[in-house]
Short mmCIF file of all heavy atoms in Angstrom, two decimals:
data_model
loop_
_atom_site.label_atom_id
_atom_site.label_comp_id
_atom_site.label_asym_id
_atom_site.label_seq_id
_atom_site.Cartn_x
_atom_site.Cartn_y
_atom_site.Cartn_z
N ILE A 114 7.93 3.62 -13.78
CA ILE A 114 8.01 2.94 -12.41
C ILE A 114 6.89 3.51 -11.51
O ILE A 114 6.77 4.75 -11.45
CB ILE A 114 9.38 3.32 -11.67
CG1 ILE A 114 10.51 2.73 -12.60
CG2 ILE A 114 9.44 2.78 -10.30
CD1 ILE A 114 12.00 3.07 -12.04
N THR A 115 6.02 2.59 -11.04
CA THR A 115 5.12 3.04 -10.10
C THR A 115 5.68 2.90 -8.70
O THR A 115 6.45 2.02 -8.43
CB THR A 115 3.73 2.27 -10.11
OG1 THR A 115 4.03 0.97 -9.66
CG2 THR A 115 3.22 2.20 -11.52
N SER A 116 5.38 3.89 -7.75
CA SER A 116 5.97 3.82 -6.50
C SER A 116 5.12 4.48 -5.38
O SER A 116 4.23 5.25 -5.71
CB SER A 116 7.30 4.78 -6.57
OG SER A 116 8.00 4.87 -5.50
N GLY A 117 5.36 4.03 -4.16
CA GLY A 117 4.71 4.58 -3.03
C GLY A 117 3.28 3.99 -2.78
O GLY A 117 2.85 3.18 -3.60
N PRO A 118 2.58 4.44 -1.78
CA PRO A 118 1.25 4.05 -1.48
C PRO A 118 0.19 4.89 -2.23
O PRO A 118 0.52 5.98 -2.81
CB PRO A 118 1.10 4.39 -0.05
CG PRO A 118 1.95 5.61 0.19
CD PRO A 118 2.99 5.50 -0.89
N THR A 119 -1.04 4.42 -2.30
CA THR A 119 -2.10 5.34 -2.77
C THR A 119 -3.11 5.47 -1.58
O THR A 119 -3.00 4.73 -0.58
CB THR A 119 -2.83 4.79 -4.02
OG1 THR A 119 -3.43 3.50 -3.68
CG2 THR A 119 -1.92 4.73 -5.16
N ARG A 120 -3.87 6.46 -1.73
CA ARG A 120 -4.94 6.74 -0.65
C ARG A 120 -6.28 6.54 -1.26
O ARG A 120 -6.56 7.07 -2.37
CB ARG A 120 -4.85 8.07 -0.19
CG ARG A 120 -3.66 8.47 0.58
CD ARG A 120 -3.62 9.88 0.97
NE ARG A 120 -2.36 10.21 1.58
CZ ARG A 120 -1.95 11.42 2.05
NH1 ARG A 120 -2.80 12.46 1.75
NH2 ARG A 120 -0.81 11.64 2.56
N GLN A 121 -7.18 6.04 -0.43
CA GLN A 121 -8.64 5.96 -0.92
C GLN A 121 -9.40 6.74 0.29
O GLN A 121 -9.43 6.16 1.42
CB GLN A 121 -9.14 4.50 -0.97
CG GLN A 121 -8.38 3.73 -2.12
CD GLN A 121 -8.49 4.43 -3.55
OE1 GLN A 121 -7.61 4.22 -4.34
NE2 GLN A 121 -9.64 5.06 -3.80
N TYR A 122 -9.93 7.78 -0.06
CA TYR A 122 -10.71 8.57 0.93
C TYR A 122 -12.02 8.02 1.28
O TYR A 122 -12.75 7.57 0.33
CB TYR A 122 -10.79 10.02 0.43
CG TYR A 122 -9.55 10.85 0.79
CD1 TYR A 122 -8.48 10.84 -0.13
CD2 TYR A 122 -9.43 11.54 1.97
CE1 TYR A 122 -7.29 11.55 0.21
CE2 TYR A 122 -8.28 12.24 2.31
CZ TYR A 122 -7.23 12.26 1.49
OH TYR A 122 -6.11 12.87 1.72
N ILE A 123 -12.33 8.11 2.55
CA ILE A 123 -13.64 7.72 3.12
C ILE A 123 -14.47 8.89 3.25
O ILE A 123 -15.71 8.81 2.97
CB ILE A 123 -13.38 7.05 4.53
CG1 ILE A 123 -12.61 5.69 4.36
CG2 ILE A 123 -14.73 6.84 5.21
CD1 ILE A 123 -12.00 5.21 5.74
N ASP A 124 -13.93 9.88 3.75
CA ASP A 124 -14.55 11.33 3.76
C ASP A 124 -13.54 12.32 3.52
O ASP A 124 -12.39 11.99 3.28
CB ASP A 124 -15.32 11.38 5.11
CG ASP A 124 -14.46 11.54 6.39
OD1 ASP A 124 -13.26 11.78 6.19
OD2 ASP A 124 -14.90 11.18 7.49
N PRO A 125 -13.80 13.64 3.64
CA PRO A 125 -12.76 14.58 3.36
C PRO A 125 -11.45 14.54 4.07
O PRO A 125 -10.40 15.10 3.69
CB PRO A 125 -13.43 15.89 3.51
CG PRO A 125 -14.97 15.69 3.42
CD PRO A 125 -15.08 14.27 4.01
N VAL A 126 -11.49 13.88 5.27
CA VAL A 126 -10.30 13.92 6.09
C VAL A 126 -9.69 12.44 6.39
O VAL A 126 -8.59 12.36 6.80
CB VAL A 126 -10.56 14.65 7.51
CG1 VAL A 126 -10.77 16.10 7.31
CG2 VAL A 126 -11.65 13.98 8.27
N ARG A 127 -10.43 11.43 6.15
CA ARG A 127 -9.89 10.07 6.53
C ARG A 127 -9.79 9.31 5.24
O ARG A 127 -10.54 9.33 4.32
CB ARG A 127 -10.96 9.37 7.38
CG ARG A 127 -11.30 10.16 8.64
CD ARG A 127 -12.23 9.37 9.47
NE ARG A 127 -12.62 9.90 10.71
CZ ARG A 127 -13.80 10.54 10.86
NH1 ARG A 127 -14.67 10.69 9.93
NH2 ARG A 127 -14.13 11.04 12.09
N TYR A 128 -8.70 8.44 5.29
CA TYR A 128 -8.43 7.57 4.15
C TYR A 128 -7.87 6.24 4.53
O TYR A 128 -7.38 6.13 5.62
CB TYR A 128 -7.53 8.32 3.10
CG TYR A 128 -6.18 8.74 3.67
CD1 TYR A 128 -5.14 7.85 3.80
CD2 TYR A 128 -6.02 10.16 4.08
CE1 TYR A 128 -3.85 8.22 4.26
CE2 TYR A 128 -4.79 10.54 4.50
CZ TYR A 128 -3.70 9.63 4.73
OH TYR A 128 -2.47 10.05 5.13
N LEU A 129 -7.98 5.35 3.61
CA LEU A 129 -7.24 3.95 3.77
C LEU A 129 -6.02 4.04 2.94
O LEU A 129 -5.89 4.73 1.86
CB LEU A 129 -8.08 2.85 3.03
CG LEU A 129 -9.51 2.60 3.60
CD1 LEU A 129 -10.14 1.69 2.64
CD2 LEU A 129 -9.36 2.02 5.04
N SER A 130 -4.88 3.54 3.44
CA SER A 130 -3.69 3.52 2.82
C SER A 130 -2.81 2.38 3.31
O SER A 130 -3.31 1.45 3.95
CB SER A 130 -2.92 4.90 2.94
OG SER A 130 -1.84 5.02 2.02
N ASN A 131 -1.51 2.39 3.08
CA ASN A 131 -0.53 1.42 3.69
C ASN A 131 0.78 2.11 3.91
O ASN A 131 0.99 3.32 3.65
CB ASN A 131 -0.44 0.25 2.74
CG ASN A 131 0.15 0.68 1.40
OD1 ASN A 131 1.22 1.19 1.36
ND2 ASN A 131 -0.53 0.51 0.31
N ALA A 132 1.70 1.29 4.48
CA ALA A 132 2.98 1.88 5.05
C ALA A 132 4.07 2.05 4.04
O ALA A 132 5.20 2.22 4.40
CB ALA A 132 3.46 1.05 6.17
N SER A 133 3.76 1.99 2.71
CA SER A 133 4.81 2.08 1.74
C SER A 133 5.52 3.47 1.82
O SER A 133 4.86 4.46 1.83
CB SER A 133 4.22 1.80 0.36
OG SER A 133 5.20 2.06 -0.64
N SER A 134 6.87 3.40 1.76
CA SER A 134 7.58 4.67 1.86
C SER A 134 8.02 5.19 0.44
O SER A 134 8.41 6.38 0.30
CB SER A 134 8.83 4.39 2.62
OG SER A 134 9.89 3.48 1.98
N GLY A 135 8.02 4.33 -0.62
CA GLY A 135 8.45 4.79 -1.91
C GLY A 135 10.01 4.55 -2.15
O GLY A 135 10.55 4.83 -3.17
N GLN A 136 10.68 4.00 -1.03
CA GLN A 136 12.10 3.78 -1.18
C GLN A 136 12.54 2.85 -2.22
O GLN A 136 13.60 3.01 -2.87
CB GLN A 136 12.67 3.24 0.13
CG GLN A 136 12.75 4.32 1.30
CD GLN A 136 13.39 3.74 2.63
OE1 GLN A 136 14.52 3.28 2.58
NE2 GLN A 136 12.58 3.63 3.52
N MET A 137 11.80 1.72 -2.38
CA MET A 137 12.10 0.78 -3.45
C MET A 137 11.98 1.49 -4.83
O MET A 137 12.93 1.22 -5.69
CB MET A 137 11.16 -0.46 -3.36
CG MET A 137 11.74 -1.69 -4.07
SD MET A 137 13.33 -2.19 -3.37
CE MET A 137 14.30 -2.37 -4.95
N GLY A 138 10.89 2.12 -4.96
CA GLY A 138 10.66 2.93 -6.27
C GLY A 138 11.70 3.88 -6.49
O GLY A 138 12.40 4.01 -7.58
N TYR A 139 12.23 4.63 -5.47
CA TYR A 139 13.30 5.56 -5.58
C TYR A 139 14.53 4.88 -6.04
O TYR A 139 15.27 5.34 -6.91
CB TYR A 139 13.65 6.17 -4.22
CG TYR A 139 14.76 7.14 -4.19
CD1 TYR A 139 14.56 8.54 -4.38
CD2 TYR A 139 16.04 6.63 -4.13
CE1 TYR A 139 15.82 9.34 -4.53
CE2 TYR A 139 17.14 7.50 -4.13
CZ TYR A 139 16.98 8.81 -4.27
OH TYR A 139 18.07 9.64 -4.32
N SER A 140 14.94 3.74 -5.39
CA SER A 140 16.17 2.96 -5.73
C SER A 140 16.10 2.48 -7.14
O SER A 140 17.07 2.34 -7.88
CB SER A 140 16.40 1.85 -4.77
OG SER A 140 16.47 2.41 -3.40
N LEU A 141 14.94 1.97 -7.54
CA LEU A 141 14.77 1.52 -8.88
C LEU A 141 14.94 2.59 -9.91
O LEU A 141 15.62 2.43 -10.98
CB LEU A 141 13.37 0.81 -9.03
CG LEU A 141 13.27 -0.53 -8.45
CD1 LEU A 141 11.73 -0.80 -8.25
CD2 LEU A 141 13.97 -1.63 -9.16
N ALA A 142 14.40 3.77 -9.66
CA ALA A 142 14.58 4.93 -10.53
C ALA A 142 16.01 5.32 -10.65
O ALA A 142 16.54 5.49 -11.75
CB ALA A 142 13.69 6.13 -10.09
N ALA A 143 16.75 5.36 -9.55
CA ALA A 143 18.14 5.72 -9.59
C ALA A 143 18.97 4.62 -10.30
O ALA A 143 19.80 5.03 -11.06
CB ALA A 143 18.72 5.86 -8.03
N ALA A 144 18.72 3.39 -10.08
CA ALA A 144 19.41 2.25 -10.81
C ALA A 144 19.23 2.39 -12.29
O ALA A 144 20.10 2.15 -13.16
CB ALA A 144 19.07 0.90 -10.20
N ALA A 145 17.96 2.63 -12.76
CA ALA A 145 17.69 2.76 -14.10
C ALA A 145 18.33 3.97 -14.78
O ALA A 145 18.93 3.89 -15.85
CB ALA A 145 16.12 2.82 -14.30
#
Side-chain angles (χ1 to χ4, degrees):
I114 299 175
T115 69
S116 183
T119 59
R120 292 179 185 172
Q121 298 300 149
Y122 275 86
I123 294 164
D124 67 20
V126 293
R127 303 183 181 101
Y128 57 81
L129 299 170
S130 191
N131 63 62
S133 169
S134 64
Q136 284 180 68
M137 197 63 230
Y139 175 99
S140 299
L141 288 161

